[in-house]
Amino acid sequence: MSAILSADDLNDFISPGIACIKPVEALPKGKPGVSANPYEVTTEDDVAAGNPPPAQISLTDCLACSGCVTSAEAVLVSLQSHAEVLDALDSAPSLAPEWLVPGLTDSDTNGGRVFIASVSPQTRASIAATYAVSEREAGYMVEQLLSGPQGVRNGGNHGSRFTWIVDTNVAREVCLFLGAEEVIESSGTGGGGLEDGARGAANTKPGRPILTSSCPGWICYAEKTHPHILPHLSRLKSPQALLGTLLKTSLSSSLRISPERIWHVAVMPCFDKKLEASREELTDEYWNDKGQEGKRTRDVDCVITTRELLMLADSRGIKFSNLPRTPLSPADRIAFPDITLHKFLFPKSSPRNNSKGGTSGGYLHHILQTFQARHPGSSIRMERGRNADVAEFTVVRGNDVLLKTARYYGFRNIQNLVRKLKPPKKSRLPGGRLGGASRKPGTAAAQATAAGSSEHAYIEVMACPGGCTNGGGQIKLADALELNPENSLPTEAAPTGPSAQKQWLSQVDEAYFSSDSNGDEQEPPILDPAPIQNLLTHWSTFTNIPIEKLVYTTYRQVESDVGKDRVGDTERVVELAGKIGGGW
């Protein structure tokens, strides 16, 4: 379990429904040996001495149980921490440059592994605000830590380092393009049906309104408590998942090594991204036909948060603030094996974060831009909801509404959304109408609810209030003041007060939006679809995998174990045997 995960971090806690009902998974113990003295009495002290150790809850357990519903920080999980990163680096040497060429096999690599990292822009923004540097300089500091001569390679068993550090923004651009196409294609149809959508099948189209699927906290909440939401979820992978699939598929194909020889860590702003990486749908089982049956390799092996990144530096005795704020030297940079993918993963100019798109990737804003561009003469109107985390956006031309969308951030607002999307209950009385007495179809309230839920074509949903820059794994204000006492905050604001917290989040947002602006206040142009389409075609052809398997995923309803009979020892042994090699 991450050492920094505690109840003190809660800022958007829902409530635990019941105590955790997941049993401790262990092989059944044999009966205690029979004492030679048949009259011997076992005392309470003897029983207490044999108490089992405290139970640990794995990420897979959390995904398989619906006993509680919380935001990211409330999920107590094990592994996927900075310690796991150090263990992986110390487990094997990183492959030398001369081995990173196409045509090699597993036997040619001398037992080495390929270590690769992906870093989110929200992480760089949090570091930039903490150390009063630019977002670009924060990225350089992360690169120096993970791959530079003064970084984590010092002090390890093998001197291993991360060969490539990739900006997740490059994968975000692919997700933006595919997300807009998904919404536009569904604008003339009703989308997938409830039967297919409830299973979250990747080959079905989501129903309107399409809901964002890039926030794992939101997805976990929907799967456990609101299965009626699943038909509306976008089938598109998140940037983290998409980039993980891209790296594992392309490197295993070009270097001809098994995916398990490629170790990928993602640095993210929230803890729920750890849950996303643990999903069985995001493993090589879904795209690797040559994989061993029953043995899965995750597309993203480990996720650490921004604060855990700083703990990683501390564990190696590295003072993060002293790391160079300059790019890696040419000697430390290695070209990606495929030149087309190299140009995509490491563009000459980094993708910019649009301030109008928010701090969670800009899905909604890109969809609005794309739709407006395809309808000349139209304009975008915004209407704020009951708070700053709820808003409605429409594309209009004259008096005609061409597209209606919305934004819901934070679980308190999400709960209102799922109520609107909940289908009316069928009356149990003979000849009864849908909705029963409490929701008569003719009432104004019922008509308003139905209209509000059906008119929207797309809704951007994020679990954290304020968006992803406010993720639970970001550097907290108190930590930032300790790491850099020169951080400027209003003198009248208490460091732990809401005013100071709001000011701190504003500084992080400012760093996020300032990426690569160079003083240019003009809005970035709409993505050119041609290069992305060419990339997707090349990726599918290069790996010989259908593009649907590479970019789309599935969802499923998670049923509660509450009230069900617990499995016996025999069934538990069979279950454990089936999980060997399949996760932690």
Side-chain angles (χ1 to χ4, degrees):
M1 185 179 72
S2 171
I4 63 175
L5 188 61
S6 67
D8 296 335
D9 296 325
L10 300 181
N11 63 356
D12 191 28
F13 184 70
I14 296 289
S15 64
I18 59 171
C20 181
I21 47 80
K22 193 68 181 178
V24 179
E25 296 194 342
L27 292 175
K29 298 181 179 179
K31 296 182 179 180
V34 180
S35 173
N37 184 1
Y39 301 102
E40 181 179 355
V41 177
T42 301
T43 65
E44 293 182 0
D45 294 337
D46 295 332
V47 174
N51 284 342
Q56 287 188 345
I57 304 173
S58 71
L59 293 173
T60 305
D61 291 336
C62 284
L63 291 175
C65 161
S66 60
C68 62
V69 178
T70 69
S71 59
E73 302 84 345
V75 182
L76 302 180
V77 294
S78 61
L79 291 183
Q80 292 210 41
S81 65
H82 67 286
E84 185 73 7
V85 177
L86 295 176
D87 290 342
L89 292 173
D90 291 341
S91 66
S94 55
L95 291 180
E98 57 268 20
W99 287 330
L100 297 175
V101 294
L104 295 179
T105 61
D106 278 339
S107 59
D108 298 325
T109 56
N110 196 28
R113 303 177 76 178
V114 178
F115 296 100
I116 187 166
S118 55
V119 184
S120 68
Q122 293 85 0
T123 290
R124 295 192 299 271
S126 185
I127 293 174
T130 299
Y131 293 102
V133 298
S134 67
E135 192 263 357
R136 178 189 287 256
E137 289 176 325
Y140 291 152
M141 295 170 74
V142 174
E143 287 184 354
Q144 294 286 354
L145 173 66
L146 299 178
S147 190
Q150 303 178 33
V152 294
R153 67 167 73 175
N154 294 313
N157 294 340
H158 304 284
S160 300
R161 70 184 182 105
F162 289 89
T163 305
W164 294 289
I165 294 92
V166 185
D167 182 359
T168 59
N169 268 343
V170 297
R172 184 197 65 175
E173 293 197 339
V174 178
C175 294
L176 293 178
F177 165 73
L178 293 174
E181 293 298 313
E182 186 178 49
V183 173
I184 292 174
E185 287 178 4
S186 71
S187 60
T189 64
L194 178 61
E195 182 178 354
D196 288 336
R199 294 186 288 107
N203 58 351
T204 61
K205 293 182 179 180
R208 290 164 60 96
I210 297 178
L211 306 177
T212 316
S213 60
S214 60
C215 175
W218 152 241
I219 296 301
C220 190
Y221 174 67
E223 287 183 327
K224 289 181 178 181
T225 62
H226 298 288
H228 66 276
I229 292 295
L230 302 187
H232 299 280
L233 293 177
S234 169
R235 302 293 181 257
L236 188 62
K237 290 182 180 180
S238 71
Q240 170 186 294
L242 185 70
L243 189 56
T245 305
L246 172 62
L247 295 173
K248 287 288 181 84
T249 55
S250 58
L251 285 174
S252 60
S253 297
S254 59
L255 300 179
R256 296 183 185 177
I257 59 177
S258 59
E260 63 183 6
R261 301 287 298 279
I262 305 165
W263 201 85
H264 175 207
V265 64
V267 188
M268 292 289 151
C270 75
F271 291 102
D272 275 340
K273 284 296 183 179
K274 299 172 186 278
L275 297 176
E276 176 184 299
S278 298
R279 295 180 66 91
E280 65 179 29
E281 296 89 350
L282 301 178
T283 63
D284 68 332
E285 183 180 41
Y286 285 76
W287 52 261
N288 185 16
D289 295 334
K290 300 178 182 179
Q292 300 180 20
E293 185 176 356
K295 187 174 183 180
R296 304 187 185 107
T297 300
R298 290 187 171 87
D299 293 342
V300 179
D301 297 277
C302 181
V303 175
I304 62 174
T305 63
T306 308
R307 283 187 285 168
E308 287 174 314
L309 182 71
L310 302 185
M311 296 175 69
L312 178 67
D314 291 338
S315 299
R316 281 283 200 252
I318 302 169
K319 190 172 183 179
F320 193 88
S321 59
N322 290 341
L323 289 169
R325 302 173 185 180
T326 56
L328 294 173
S329 66
D332 291 320
R333 293 188 179 276
I334 300 175
F336 206 76
D338 182 81
I339 187 172
T340 300
L341 294 179
H342 178 87
K343 293 179 179 179
F344 166 71
L345 294 172
F346 308 101
K348 293 182 179 179
S349 59
S350 301
R352 291 173 54 182
N353 300 317
N354 192 338
S355 59
K356 294 183 179 180
T359 61
S360 302
Y363 290 86
L364 175 58
H365 181 68
H366 177 71
I367 290 170
L368 291 171
Q369 275 190 315
T370 302
F371 200 87
Q372 182 185 21
R374 297 189 182 187
H375 295 80
S378 61
S379 60
I380 300 174
R381 295 179 182 176
M382 179 238 188
E383 181 179 351
R384 179 171 172 173
R386 63 175 60 187
N387 55 61
D389 286 324
V390 178
E392 289 196 354
F393 300 84
T394 54
V395 178
V396 298
R397 184 164 55 192
N399 295 326
D400 297 330
V401 176
L402 305 180
L403 184 72
K404 189 174 182 180
T405 63
R407 179 186 68 202
Y408 282 78
Y409 287 178
F411 273 116
R412 293 177 180 85
N413 296 318
I414 290 175
Q415 286 178 320
N416 294 328
L417 172 65
V418 296
R419 291 191 192 103
K420 294 179 181 180
L421 295 176
K422 191 172 184 178
K425 293 182 179 180
K426 186 176 182 180
S427 175
R428 296 181 180 180
L429 298 176
R433 297 180 178 180
L434 291 177
S438 62
R439 188 183 294 182
K440 295 181 180 180
T443 63
Q447 292 175 353
T449 300
S453 61
S454 61
E455 289 181 0
H456 292 92
Y458 182 82
I459 301 178
E460 184 177 88
V461 185
M462 298 291 165
C464 293
C468 293
T469 51
N470 192 31
Q474 296 283 70
I475 302 173
K476 302 300 183 182
L477 174 57
D479 297 328
L481 293 174
E482 182 179 351
L483 292 169
N484 184 15
E486 298 180 359
N487 254 312
S488 58
L489 285 174
T491 55
E492 65 275 8
T496 58
S499 176
Q501 298 289 345
K502 185 176 181 180
Q503 174 70 14
W504 171 243
L505 182 58
S506 298
Q507 291 185 6
V508 178
D509 290 346
E510 183 179 354
Y512 178 84
F513 295 132
S514 65
S515 61
D516 285 346
S517 62
N518 295 326
D520 185 6
E521 299 297 333
Q522 294 184 356
E523 183 171 336
I526 299 178
L527 292 177
D528 184 1
I532 297 178
Q533 290 173 332
N534 294 337
L535 169 76
L536 294 174
T537 301
H538 173 78
W539 180 15
S540 178
T541 304
F542 175 67
T543 58
N544 197 26
I545 301 174
I547 195 63
E548 291 77 14
K549 287 187 175 183
L550 297 174
V551 301
Y552 296 110
T553 186
T554 59
Y555 311 100
R556 81 284 190 194
Q557 179 180 356
V558 178
E559 296 183 359
S560 174
D561 295 330
V562 178
K564 297 183 179 179
D565 295 334
R566 295 187 181 274
V567 297
D569 290 340
T570 303
E571 290 82 357
R572 190 174 300 173
V573 171
V574 173
E575 182 182 0
L576 287 173
K579 288 185 176 181
I580 294 177
W584 28 71

